[in-house]
Amino acid sequence: MHQGNQLFNVRLAGSPEGQAHSDNFIDLEHLMTIARRQAKTVAITAAVGLSLGLIYIIAAKPGYTAATSILLDDNLGKFADEPSPAPANMQTDTTILSQIAILKSAELAEKVVRKEKLDENDGFMNPPRSIFATAISTMRSIVGLFGSSKPANTDGLSAADLKVEYAASLLQSNVDVQRQGRSFVIDLTYTSDDAELAGRIAKAYADVYLSDQLDANFDATQRATVWLQGRLNELKESSQAAALETERFRAANGLTAAKGALVSEQQLSDINSQLILAQADTARARALYNQYKSILASGPEGAVNNAAVVSDQSGTSVIGTLRARYLTITKREQEIVSRFGQDHPQAVSLRTEQQDVSRQIFQELQQITESYRNQYEAAQSRETSLREGLDNATGKTSVANEALVHLRDLEQNAQALTNLYQTYLGRYQEASQQQSFPIAKARVISVASTPTDPSSPKKKLALAASLLLGLFAGAGIGAWREYRERFFRVGEDVRSLLGVKFLGFVPKLEGITEAKRAPVALEGQAAPPAARTNIIRLAVDNPSSQFAETLRNVKIAADVVLQGKESKVIGVVSVLPHEGKTTIAANFAGLLAAKGAKTLLIDGDLRNPGLSRALSLSTQRGLVKAVMDGQPWQNSVKVENKTKLAIIPTVLHRNLRHTSEILSSPGMKKLLDEARTVFDYIVIDLPPLGPVVDAKAFAPMADGFVMVAEWGVTPRALVKSVLQAEAEIAPKILGLVLNKVDMKRLAKYSSYGSTEHFMERYSSYYLDTPRMPPTKT
């Protein structure tokens, strides 16, 4: 048993529940299963959203929208205005945004109100409101009671002005101004419940906007002309005074210019150019002289070796010839020495000739070095002479340069004043001409007309939006339901999480009320009415049902696991109450008895004997009497008439407190030991696990347990934690049965390829369908 417990714990620890899937790819099949499962929820929510959209369309008041298009065209004023120095794209965006702001401004709205006398139009000032608009206005009023907004400043305004302001605010709320793509066109639309009024206001907006532009241009040019005229007189006087002062200073300091420059400046420039050339010649001569000087410093032998450095320079052809001869003699001498030795006469002669040539090369290098020394001294002397001349010329022009600096400052000041005067004179002429050039830089390209069809509500858009919102809401609700999914649905949940055998599904029994349940037909008693259903015989009377098939699977599991035991004690348990374990236990025992096996069914739920109530057994003797009072247990046995199933009921004792001690008592052990000699199977309906310890107390006497869990109700984590805590029960679990299964919804929780996915194809094999409400135990 200890080994079995360890094995069960290992299986629980290795289950994939709560672990991250190793595959990082999206499981499309799982997503499709979820979508199929939540399709009804999404459909209902979408239908609700669509219904709300229909209600909105019916309740909303129709609105009419009139539109006018205005083109901002700079070409209309190109003859009057100069181009802007800003980039074209920046100028375009800034201009268009500015004009949109003007069209949305309160000032322009007030002009439209005064032009069309909208403040006197009762239909405009008090338009009819829809239900939604009334509700929104009421909510805003309620929110405004708790707000901290300050009242508008109305000091100095008459009642008429306040009425115009209110009309302008109403007008602004229904005006929409948008740029048409990336073009120069601005679309202005106005929406109203009156089609004629909407057309009038949109047209009036365009007219008022063009008039406002003309008025603004005229006022701006007029103010500019007056200001420029006064400024020109001041600039003219300042420019003339600056020019006169410049000429007086030039004459006083003798700053005569020739070909645009002073004479002293030209002389200084020539000397400076000659000095730069002389410095270059000196540097070149010094470099050659230092090179040959370093060669001579290395001695005759070093001079011969370094002669190759200067042999390529001009004027050194003699050195090149001597070096070539030296190399030829050296090669010949090496050949003679290699063939005849160092003392051969010809070798001695060649070494003598080699030394002579080396001396000639050294003498030639001395002559060249002396020549370059003379060139260097001459260049240095010329440079010194030019530098002295440059110093003299610089001293002569220093005084003139100081005066020239002041002269340049006077000339710049006079030129700046002259240029500024010319600029302002040009602007004055342009402003004078623009006063008589009344052309706006905009024109209407689409005149507003009276709309014929309502623009709102947009039925198709409203329906599409409400349907889409409904779908999103349904998807959210479905996702929340999936997140809340914590229950057993398919056999793989049982195998992967608990590591126990899955024994099958028991469909939900419906159609028969509690009042129509029949008592058990016991031996010696009359059979119950035909219209009533015996709880023990549900599987027996419907042998081809899936209910019976699942119980047969339970029998096979018990026979395989408990193979070798002549009599098997099997407990039926659940984690929570009302999961149907009593129905499973009664029908399992009834099915065993119907197959010819000697079977004893014991109601072991001493606190809540639901089996005894469901079978309507009225008796004064039961399990408690047989165990505690020492009465023969055979006296408490009731035998079902048709299947010969032996039943030991339990009489409810209100003052019974220690039920777990009764189930684990020696009397209970004696009863089971004696019953094993008579029956092949002993099925015991035990209380639920969890805080009730009765099943744990009985565990040492049981050979195996069949666990019952309610489909879609029993939390998986609860079953797992209970089994992990029950070290005596967990190793003896024969398998788990999922009870009260909605077979129509089962396929929605399965993946393709699983048994549950193809459950409907097996329906032809399940010809019988038992119908009975689930028990309350």
Side-chain angles (χ1 to χ4, degrees):
M1 181 182 297
H2 180 67
Q3 293 178 349
N5 188 21
Q6 287 183 337
L7 177 61
F8 179 78
N9 290 334
V10 170
R11 288 185 295 181
L12 287 178
S15 66
E17 180 73 5
Q19 297 179 1
H21 200 283
S22 59
D23 190 2
N24 291 327
F25 292 98
I26 297 175
D27 191 349
L28 295 180
E29 182 179 347
H30 183 62
L31 293 179
M32 292 300 296
T33 302
I34 293 175
R36 187 170 65 251
R37 191 158 55 240
Q38 302 298 334
K40 185 176 181 181
T41 300
V42 175
I44 292 175
T45 313
V48 172
L50 192 61
S51 301
L52 293 177
L54 288 173
I55 294 174
Y56 165 74
I57 291 174
I58 294 173
K61 191 171 184 63
Y64 296 88
T65 300
T68 183
S69 298
I70 301 172
L71 173 63
L72 303 180
D73 192 355
D74 284 338
N75 293 328
L76 297 177
K78 65 181 180 179
F79 299 106
D81 295 339
E82 62 180 72
S84 173
N89 56 348
M90 183 185 301
Q91 181 183 2
T92 300
D93 293 339
T94 303
T95 302
I96 294 177
L97 291 175
S98 300
Q99 299 307 313
I100 290 176
I102 292 174
L103 286 168
K104 292 181 178 180
S105 65
E107 182 179 356
L108 197 67
E110 289 184 5
K111 291 182 179 180
V112 174
V113 169
R114 297 182 187 279
K115 181 178 184 297
E116 296 295 323
K117 298 181 179 179
L118 296 178
D119 56 325
E120 301 175 5
N121 190 328
D122 186 65
F124 174 81
M125 298 294 290
N126 301 294
R129 295 185 177 183
S130 63
I131 299 176
F132 295 101
T134 304
I136 293 173
S137 178
T138 303
M139 293 178 62
R140 287 179 177 176
S141 300
I142 295 173
V143 173
L145 295 176
F146 301 96
S148 59
S149 58
K150 297 180 180 180
N153 186 9
T154 59
D155 295 342
L157 296 179
S158 63
D161 292 337
L162 292 175
K163 193 174 183 181
V164 170
E165 282 192 1
Y166 177 71
S169 64
L170 291 178
L171 188 63
Q172 285 180 285
S173 63
N174 292 322
V175 170
D176 182 49
V177 183
Q178 297 290 337
R179 180 180 181 181
Q180 194 176 103
R182 299 296 299 172
S183 66
F184 291 84
V185 178
I186 299 176
D187 293 329
L188 184 144
T189 58
Y190 181 79
T191 302
S192 174
D193 59 327
D194 187 346
E196 182 181 358
L197 182 63
R200 283 172 47 203
I201 290 177
K203 185 177 180 181
Y205 247 107
D207 295 340
V208 170
Y209 171 71
L210 295 179
S211 299
D212 182 72
Q213 275 216 334
L214 289 175
D215 294 341
N217 290 340
F218 180 81
D219 293 341
T221 53
Q222 187 176 18
R223 287 193 298 270
T225 301
V226 173
W227 182 82
L228 287 172
Q229 187 173 8
R231 184 60 178 158
L232 279 174
N233 294 331
E234 296 177 3
L235 289 175
K236 183 176 181 181
E237 295 176 358
S238 299
S239 176
Q240 291 176 352
L244 182 59
E245 183 180 359
T246 300
E247 294 302 325
R248 288 175 179 173
F249 183 81
R250 186 192 302 274
N253 291 274
L255 298 176
T256 304
K259 295 181 180 181
L262 297 177
V263 175
S264 58
E265 290 179 347
Q266 295 179 1
Q267 181 182 5
L268 185 62
S269 176
D270 293 341
I271 296 175
N272 189 46
S273 300
Q274 293 178 18
L275 177 60
I276 293 172
L277 295 176
Q279 287 176 343
D281 293 340
T282 301
R284 179 177 176 277
R286 182 171 59 250
L288 291 173
Y289 171 66
N290 290 335
Q291 180 182 14
Y292 280 92
K293 186 178 179 181
S294 61
I295 292 174
L296 292 178
S298 62
E301 293 183 1
V304 174
N305 294 330
N306 295 326
V309 179
V310 298
S311 60
D312 295 334
Q313 299 179 1
S314 60
T316 60
S317 58
V318 175
I319 294 177
T321 303
L322 292 174
R323 178 167 172 75
R325 181 181 173 189
Y326 178 84
L327 294 175
T328 302
I329 294 171
T330 302
K331 183 178 180 183
R332 179 62 179 165
E333 188 265 340
Q334 291 175 353
E335 291 177 356
I336 295 299
V337 170
S338 63
R339 293 174 60 186
F340 303 106
Q342 293 283 347
D343 300 331
H344 191 271
Q346 190 174 355
V348 175
S349 176
L350 289 172
R351 281 196 293 272
T352 303
E353 186 178 358
Q354 185 183 28
Q355 293 175 358
D356 183 60
V357 173
S358 175
R359 185 172 55 257
Q360 293 179 17
I361 291 174
F362 186 75
Q363 291 177 355
E364 186 65 26
L365 288 173
Q366 287 180 330
Q367 294 178 3
I368 295 174
T369 301
E370 185 65 21
S371 174
Y372 279 125
R373 186 182 67 81
N374 295 332
Q375 293 180 11
Y376 168 64
E377 292 178 353
Q380 192 175 27
S381 176
R382 182 170 178 272
E383 179 184 353
T384 302
S385 177
L386 289 173
R387 192 179 301 278
E388 293 176 355
L390 180 63
D391 293 339
N392 294 331
T394 302
K396 292 179 180 179
T397 58
S398 60
V399 177
N401 287 338
E402 294 178 0
L404 186 61
V405 170
H406 187 62
L407 177 64
R408 294 287 184 264
D409 184 53
L410 293 175
E411 289 178 346
Q412 291 175 359
N413 186 35
Q415 185 64 36
L417 291 173
T418 302
N419 295 337
L420 188 60
Y421 173 77
Q422 295 295 333
T423 300
Y424 274 80
L425 181 60
R427 291 183 180 180
Y428 174 76
Q429 296 296 334
E430 291 173 1
S432 299
Q433 296 298 324
Q434 287 178 2
Q435 277 187 310
S436 59
F437 200 73
I439 297 179
K441 296 181 182 179
R443 59 189 177 93
V444 178
I445 60 174
S446 177
V447 181
S449 59
T450 302
T452 57
D453 297 323
S455 60
S456 65
K458 297 180 180 179
K459 299 180 180 180
K460 293 182 179 179
L461 181 60
L463 290 177
S466 59
L467 178 61
L468 188 61
L469 290 175
L471 289 174
F472 279 124
I477 295 173
W480 173 251
R481 292 182 62 186
E482 287 296 323
Y483 175 75
R484 297 279 296 173
E485 180 64 38
R486 300 288 189 273
F487 316 109
F488 288 105
R489 295 292 186 179
V490 293
E492 183 60 28
D493 295 341
V494 177
R495 290 186 289 268
S496 62
L497 178 64
L498 303 181
V500 301
K501 183 176 180 62
F502 175 63
L503 300 178
F505 299 101
V506 174
K508 189 174 184 180
L509 305 178
E510 299 176 352
I512 299 178
T513 63
E514 292 282 347
K516 293 184 179 180
R517 292 186 185 179
V520 177
L522 303 178
E523 288 184 348
Q525 297 180 358
R532 298 189 178 185
T533 301
N534 190 336
I535 187 176
I536 299 178
R537 300 186 53 79
L538 289 174
V540 177
D541 294 340
N542 301 276
S544 298
S545 65
Q546 187 172 357
F547 186 12
E549 190 71 17
T550 299
L551 296 181
R552 282 192 285 269
N553 194 29
V554 174
K555 178 182 179 300
I556 293 173
D559 292 341
V560 171
V561 177
L562 304 178
Q563 186 177 7
K565 290 183 177 292
E566 295 182 359
S567 180
K568 306 173 180 65
V569 179
I570 302 173
V572 180
V573 295
S574 64
V575 175
L576 298 173
H578 312 308
E579 295 193 76
K581 64 177 179 58
T582 299
T583 303
I584 299 298
N587 281 271
F588 178 54
L591 185 65
L592 293 173
K595 295 296 181 181
K598 296 180 180 180
T599 307
L600 174 64
L601 176 61
I602 301 175
D603 187 356
D605 194 348
L606 304 181
R607 305 189 189 193
N608 184 21
L611 177 63
S612 301
R613 287 199 305 268
L615 298 178
S616 301
L617 296 175
S618 57
T619 178
Q620 297 300 321
R621 291 176 295 179
L623 181 63
V624 178
K625 292 285 186 180
V627 173
M628 300 298 295
D629 297 343
Q631 297 181 1
W633 60 270
Q634 292 86 350
N635 296 339
S636 301
V637 174
K638 306 294 181 181
V639 180
E640 203 268 333
N641 189 23
K642 189 172 182 179
T643 61
K644 306 303 180 183
L645 172 65
I647 306 171
I648 298 180
T650 293
V651 179
L652 180 62
H653 294 271
R654 297 294 181 182
N655 57 351
L656 200 61
R657 295 291 182 266
H658 306 290
T659 56
S660 61
E661 296 180 3
I662 297 175
L663 291 177
S664 61
S665 66
M668 187 67 185
K669 185 176 185 302
K670 179 182 177 182
L671 185 154
L672 292 177
D673 291 340
E674 293 177 0
R676 284 180 186 269
T677 62
V678 180
F679 297 99
D680 299 324
Y681 295 92
I682 302 173
V683 180
I684 304 177
D685 180 23
L686 293 169
L689 300 175
V692 183
V693 299
D694 293 11
K696 183 189 297 185
F698 181 77
M701 303 180 190
D703 297 324
F705 290 92
V706 175
M707 176 163 282
V708 179
E710 185 173 353
W711 184 84
V713 174
T714 306
R716 292 174 294 194
L718 176 62
V719 177
K720 179 180 177 181
S721 62
V722 168
L723 289 183
Q724 286 177 332
E726 302 297 340
E728 292 289 336
I729 296 177
K732 296 183 179 182
I733 296 294
L734 302 177
L736 185 141
V737 176
L738 285 180
N739 192 23
K740 305 180 186 179
V741 180
D742 188 345
M743 303 305 294
K744 295 181 180 179
R745 296 173 56 198
L746 179 60
K748 296 180 180 180
Y749 291 90
S750 61
S751 59
Y752 187 82
S754 63
T755 305
E756 295 84 357
H757 188 78
F758 299 97
M759 190 65 73
E760 292 185 0
R761 297 197 179 186
Y762 297 97
S763 60
S764 60
Y765 289 86
Y766 304 133
L767 302 179
D768 300 329
T769 304
R771 296 176 61 81
M772 185 172 181
T775 64
K776 298 300 183 179
T777 60

